[in-house]
Amino acid sequence: IQAPGFHDALEAKTHALCDGLEAAARDAGIAFTTTRVGAMFGLFFSAERVDTYAQAVACDLVAFNKFFHAMLERGVYLAPSAFEAGFVSSAHGEAEIARTIAAARESFRIARG
């Protein structure tokens, strides 16, 4: 973790993942946003950016639950609560991010229903 550029590369992976998830949700017609800092990210079924506790609890928790289980069925384990953060690690590469986004494309259709 002390290697030059380590944290910048990790943050770039987090942005790639979150940008891909937001694009997949948008394509599915789902109100969805992410928050992110460094390697940490949050997923929210909301049309608005989520910055406060009140905004977080106003999100669609039923859709999050459906999405979580659909992702799990596709081999992607996310934090099981809409109020927990996820983390990208140095072990996650482009292939894992692409596979996660592909699983999300399918899972957003289930969450929408």
Side-chain angles (χ1 to χ4, degrees), residues 26-49:
R26 201 169 35 254
D27 292 347
I30 298 286
F32 180 83
T33 189
T34 64
T35 57
R36 55 195 109 155
V37 62
M40 184 171 61
F41 62 91
L43 309 176
F44 300 97
F45 283 78
S46 172
E48 298 179 4
R49 178 177 162 81

Side-chain angles (χ1 to χ4, degrees), residues 35 44 48-59 83:
T35 57
F44 300 97
E48 298 179 4
R49 178 177 162 81
V50 175
D51 292 313
T52 68
Y53 175 75
Q55 290 170 314
V57 297
C59 293
F83 307 111

Side-chain angles (χ1 to χ4, degrees), residues 3-81:
F6 176 85
H7 293 283
D8 291 336
L10 198 56
E11 187 170 23
K13 291 178 189 182
T14 305
H15 280 271
L17 173 64
C18 290
D19 290 346
L21 293 173
E22 288 179 353
R26 201 169 35 254
D27 292 347
I30 298 286
F32 180 83
T33 189
T34 64
T35 57
R36 55 195 109 155
V37 62
M40 184 171 61
F41 62 91
L43 309 176
F44 300 97
F45 283 78
S46 172
E48 298 179 4
R49 178 177 162 81
V50 175
D51 292 313
T52 68
Y53 175 75
Q55 290 170 314
V57 297
C59 293
D60 187 342
L61 302 180
V62 172
F64 178 89
N65 189 45
K66 289 179 184 178
F67 180 74
F68 167 80
H69 286 286
M71 291 292 279
L72 194 57
E73 289 172 8
R74 286 156 183 78
V76 178
Y77 183 79
L78 300 169
S81 168

